[in-house]
Amino acid sequence: MERSTAGGMTSKDGGHGSRPMNAIIARTLIELLVSLELSDEESVSVEASAVLAEDAATSLGALSDTERAKLISIITQMGQEVGDEDRRQVLLDLPEGLGLTERPAPYHVLDLL
């Protein structure tokens, strides 16, 4: 049975194929964040959307550089696959908006004192 995913892709397996669970979870989170961004204020308040995006960005800040690069790659791939221009633009802006393109500032022992 075919079904359409939130990103507008159609697949018999929900668009997941044989991808590992982490990639499926990442795509699901990304789709939710994009949907929040594109929601009107009557559906989701701006404040609620901002809090959820900030929470996601904070959690994703714990990713290693390799994991960040993989997530950015997944987001980029999703942007290439999506047909809707508004969704594509949100996907293009998402890595920066989530702070994935920024490297955490190094800290020094003296900064902790």
Side-chain angles (χ1 to χ4, degrees), residues 9-68:
M9 295 173 281
T10 303
S11 175
K12 291 182 179 182
D13 61 7
H16 302 305
S18 61
R19 285 182 287 221
M21 183 174 63
N22 286 347
I24 293 168
I25 292 169
R27 282 180 166 265
T28 302
L29 174 63
I30 294 161
E31 287 176 1
L32 287 171
L33 291 170
V34 170
S35 293
L36 277 174
E37 178 65 26
L38 294 174
S39 295
D40 59 41
E41 289 185 41
E42 292 178 16
S43 299
V44 181
S45 74
V46 173
E47 295 81 15
S49 182
V51 166
L52 292 169
E54 288 172 14
D55 287 349
T58 299
S59 294
L60 295 173
L63 295 175
S64 70
D65 288 346
T66 301
E67 292 166 329
R68 284 175 187 238

Side-chain angles (χ1 to χ4, degrees), residues 64-80:
S64 70
D65 288 346
T66 301
E67 292 166 329
R68 284 175 187 238
K70 178 63 178 167
L71 185 56
I72 291 169
S73 174
I74 291 170
I75 294 169
T76 302
Q77 181 181 8
M78 290 175 71
Q80 294 169 348

